[in-house]
Each structure stands twice: as C-alpha cells, then as structure tokens.
Amino acid sequence: MAEPDAPGVCEDEAEQDADSPDSESGASGESDMELLRNLLSRTLGLGGDKPEQVLDELTLEGISRFIRSPRCKNIVCMVGAGISTSAGIPDFRSPGTGLYSNLQGYNLPYPEAIFEISYFKQHPEPFFALARELYPGQIKPTLCHYFMRLLQDKGLLLRCYTQNIDTLERVAGLQEELLVEAHGTFHTSRCLRLRCRQRYDFGWLRDKIFSSPVPRCDKCQGVVKPDIVFFGENLPSRFFTLLQSDFQAVDLLIIMGTSLQVQPFASLVSRVPTNTPRLLINKEKTGQSDPLMSLMGFGCGMDFDSEKAYRDVAWLGECDSGCLALAELLGWKKELLELVRKEHAAIDAQTGGAQGEAQGGNWEKPSGATGSSEGTTGSSGGATGSSEGVTGSSGGVTGTPEHGTGGSGH
C-alpha cells in the first residue's frame, strides 16, 4: 500500500497511484488450501506426481533444443537492470559503480530515499538532478533487448516482465501488449495534484527535466512525476492481472540481469508449472533458496546444482553474451546481429550521428561459454546487474532500482 503523505506536504499533492486499483486485487485467485498445496508441491516435492523433466540436459544446449522443439510455444522473459548496463545505464548494487555507491552529493538521509515517494513529495529536486546527470543522450537497446525482439518476431514471446524503467524494451520494438513494466515507466508522467492529474508524454518530461529544476504542470504548476513506481507505491494492476494466465501458459521462463531480491517480482519464478524449464542468464547465480524459506513466500527455490535439479539452467556472464551464445545455438546469430545493426543505424540516423561500439561492446566475441547448471563462465564474482526498481529510466534516464509494493529494500 502507498505511504500516507508526509507532514508538511500540500494536501493536493497525491500519490501517483490514486487512480490505480489495490495491488492485491487479483493477485491470487487460489484458495488458502490450494495455495498451500501448490507451495508444498513446488518447494518440497510433496503431493502429486514427480515433475516431468523436459530438457534432455541442463545446459544452454539443452535449452536451445527445447526452444526448437514443438513443445516450446510460449516464452516469458523476466528482466532487470543487468540487460541495460551495456547501454550505459548503471545498475544499483554493483560496488563502486552502482547508483547506491554514488549518491553522496545529494545530501540524502540514506541512498534509497531518492526513490521513496514520501521523500520525493517533500524534496523532488534530488531525483530530477540525478535524472539529468545520468541521462546519456539517445540510448540504444542492447543485444539482449533485440534477442527478446527476435523471440517476438518468431511468435515465441508470450510476455516480457521488466523491472526496468528505461523504456529500452519499447525502443527495441517490443509490442506494448507483450510488455509488462512491473515498476512503471518514464514513457508517461502526470501531475501529482488530485484536482489536476494532467498526463504528459516522455518528450514533454525530457524537455522539462533539462530546462527546470523540477518539472511543473502547465495547468496548475504542481509537481509532475514520471509514472514509475517509487518505494511506497503499488505496482501497476496490469502486473497482477496478466501474471495469473501467463505463468500457467508458459513453456519456458528466461530470467536475465536481475538479482531476484525484490518482491513481488522475484516470486514470479515460482509461479510457473513444476515441469517448466527456467534459464537464468546473469553475472551470478540468484533465486536460490532453501525449501523452508520458499514455503514462507521468500525466495524462489531455483535449483541449479543439487542431485534433484531437473529444470533450472544458469549461464553466468554478461547478458548480451549469454543471448548471443543462445542465438548461435539456435542458428539465429546472423539474424540477431543484423537486427541490432539495422536498428542501431536507424537510431543513429534519427539522432544525426553514430555512437560507435560504446554500447554493447564487441558482440562477436561473447565473454562466456555455454553455461550449464554448474554455471561455467564469465564473471560470476561480479554483482548482478539489476536495474530493477524504481527509478532509472524507461524513457532513457537511468536504470531502475529493484523494489516492490510497500517499499521493501533494494
């Protein structure tokens, strides 16, 4: 639930969610007993038949063969900040380079305050100052974004659930109906005053960010806030509505560039059917938890290494490299690289100049080998890139911190 207005704030400065339904509505249609039964079955292996293993081996090769099989028709992608770092958007938790390590100049009571709705209502200046500082110009989607575009074009993408607010999924050409922006977006914004609630598009907000300390409504001069989900606000109702059907119909879940630390987003990985394979492409393994924690609703229960592992595969390394390795196994590498070049050239033509290879690096030489449930490659020691959360920029401002309803910590 959203936090109440902080003391001293004008009464008509209201939360962005004032016109959105309660986040809990539709969040679960299961009875208490059915929910308990499903949790026991999924996390402890109690009740029901033993889950079918649909992968012939727990490797990226096994995943690629499954994707090419008739059984794989609906792929859901769950993505976080790690898919956007190669575009120049920082993540939040990486030591030294993450946003939380570099907010000393904003005189915040604590780093997360810059993304809290109660603090924003009293002090919007630090957030917009950060947005101006991090805005990197015309951001180009990464190879990872275009891999999801390729899944869409081939009719395999059921939905992309993103924690990012940088709008790069939109720029890459993902159709709006296939996209769930779990933590909101910079694509639209609105006045915070209840008596106004005037909506604005990203072009208007971008111009205001660079022309004034705080964007103000043209009609009433109230503060205009991008439609991103701050700590203390509800997630969009679309998130809860679609997950009910999507995570029952999914044949393959691909998780990329997220630490899976923030609820309720992180819990989605446990909502898929028990025989649905799950592929993690990330700098380090994440989403693993012991059965008791999973039963209590914390953690995701992914199992890459135990003797009982039967469906989870981890590929460790940069997200772009992992997607390129998978594309190569699928026979899509040439098509993917051509799509990236074509789309980036179109962006360069619009902006009047190329940005070279700064974004995305040299994709011809992936940094990681084909990972497996052992997670062989790349820099597993690095922090998981995770633009999940509140601010950053779906419209091209910054990554997005991980967070969930009620403002749980990053």
Side-chain angles (χ1 to χ4, degrees):
M1 299 295 294
E3 295 176 357
D5 287 338
V9 179
C10 181
E11 289 183 357
D12 57 359
E13 294 288 337
E15 284 93 341
Q16 176 183 343
D17 311 327
D19 58 356
S20 65
D22 190 322
S23 67
E24 294 182 1
S25 61
S28 174
E30 301 175 315
S31 67
D32 291 342
M33 287 303 296
E34 185 178 359
L35 177 60
L36 178 58
R37 191 160 51 245
N38 285 341
L39 284 172
L40 287 171
S41 174
R42 292 174 181 176
T43 62
L44 298 178
L46 300 178
D49 298 329
K50 180 180 179 181
E52 175 191 8
Q53 179 170 331
V54 300
L55 298 178
D56 55 24
E57 63 176 339
L58 299 180
T59 64
L60 202 63
E61 287 89 346
I63 291 287
S64 69
R65 286 191 288 271
F66 179 68
I67 292 175
R68 293 196 302 267
S69 76
R71 296 192 61 173
C72 187
K73 298 177 180 179
N74 296 309
I75 297 177
V76 169
C77 293
M78 290 175 56
V79 300
I83 74 166
S84 295
T85 52
S86 65
I89 299 176
D91 64 18
F92 286 77
R93 290 184 171 84
S94 293
T97 59
L99 283 182
Y100 287 156
S101 298
N102 295 279
L103 293 176
Q104 299 88 346
Y106 294 98
N107 297 318
L108 301 168
Y110 44 91
E112 293 86 352
I114 201 168
F115 305 126
E116 290 184 351
I117 188 61
S118 58
Y119 187 84
F120 176 84
K121 287 177 178 179
Q122 296 184 80
H123 309 287
E125 296 83 3
F127 171 80
F128 289 112
L130 177 65
R132 281 190 294 275
E133 179 182 341
L134 293 178
Y135 192 88
Q138 181 60 58
I139 301 174
K140 297 176 185 176
T142 67
L143 185 143
C144 190
H145 290 96
Y146 288 113
F147 179 78
M148 292 190 292
R149 161 75 179 278
L150 208 54
L151 291 176
Q152 169 189 279
D153 293 349
K154 293 181 180 295
L156 291 170
L157 184 66
L158 175 62
R159 207 84 61 191
C160 170
Y161 285 74
T162 179
Q163 293 172 283
N164 300 338
I165 56 176
D166 49 42
T167 67
L168 290 184
E169 295 88 3
R170 292 173 180 261
V171 177
L174 291 194
Q175 299 170 15
E176 188 169 359
E177 62 267 25
L178 299 184
L179 186 61
V180 174
E181 292 160 320
H183 293 165
T185 177
F186 258 88
H187 192 67
T188 56
S189 56
R190 71 186 77 188
C191 177
L192 283 178
R193 286 182 173 167
L194 274 176
R195 294 197 297 260
C196 181
R197 305 296 285 167
Q198 177 68 33
R199 286 179 171 270
Y200 295 95
D201 61 21
F202 175 68
W204 182 94
L205 180 64
R206 178 188 55 208
D207 293 343
K208 291 292 185 179
I209 285 175
F210 286 99
S211 63
S212 60
V214 175
R216 295 279 178 180
C217 178
D218 292 338
K219 292 178 61 178
C220 71
Q221 291 301 299
V223 174
V224 174
K225 174 187 170 294
D227 288 338
I228 62 175
V229 182
F230 275 61
F231 290 118
E233 295 185 301
N234 296 330
L235 270 64
S237 59
R238 175 177 170 82
F239 172 83
F240 297 101
T241 300
L242 289 176
L243 71 84
Q244 298 296 320
S245 57
D246 287 350
F247 283 80
Q248 289 303 310
V250 58
D251 298 314
L252 172 66
L253 181 65
I254 300 179
I255 306 132
M256 298 185 284
T258 171
S259 63
L260 291 178
Q261 293 183 10
V262 176
Q263 301 294 351
F265 190 90
S267 67
L268 295 184
V269 301
S270 64
R271 283 183 168 267
V272 300
T274 55
N275 64 339
T276 298
R278 300 181 292 192
L279 169 64
L280 174 71
I281 299 177
N282 204 43
K283 283 186 176 181
E284 62 185 7
K285 292 178 184 178
T286 188
Q288 302 171 94
S289 60
D290 61 69
L292 179 59
M293 293 299 288
S294 293
L295 183 61
M296 294 172 62
F298 301 101
C300 312
M302 296 182 74
D303 182 3
F304 303 111
D305 304 314
S306 82
E307 294 180 356
K308 295 182 179 180
Y310 70 98
R311 62 166 172 166
D312 296 328
V313 177
W315 191 99
L316 302 186
E318 300 294 337
C319 291
D320 287 346
S321 298
C323 287
L324 187 62
L326 181 54
E328 185 168 16
L329 290 169
L330 291 166
W332 302 351
K333 178 180 177 180
K334 182 178 180 181
E335 185 179 2
L336 176 58
L337 291 175
E338 180 57 31
L339 175 63
V340 173
R341 292 189 185 98
K342 176 183 175 182
E343 294 293 323
H344 280 192
I347 293 174
D348 289 338
Q350 290 178 351
T351 58
Q355 293 181 322
E357 294 295 326
Q359 292 184 13
N362 185 356
W363 294 315
E364 296 289 353
K365 299 178 181 179
S367 63
T370 298
S372 70
S373 58
E374 299 287 16
T376 56
T377 97
S379 49
S380 59
T384 232
S386 136
S387 98
E388 313 134 8
V390 183
T391 170
S393 125
S394 229
V397 182
T398 107
T400 98
E402 320 169 324
H403 70 286
T405 300
S408 53
H410 285 31

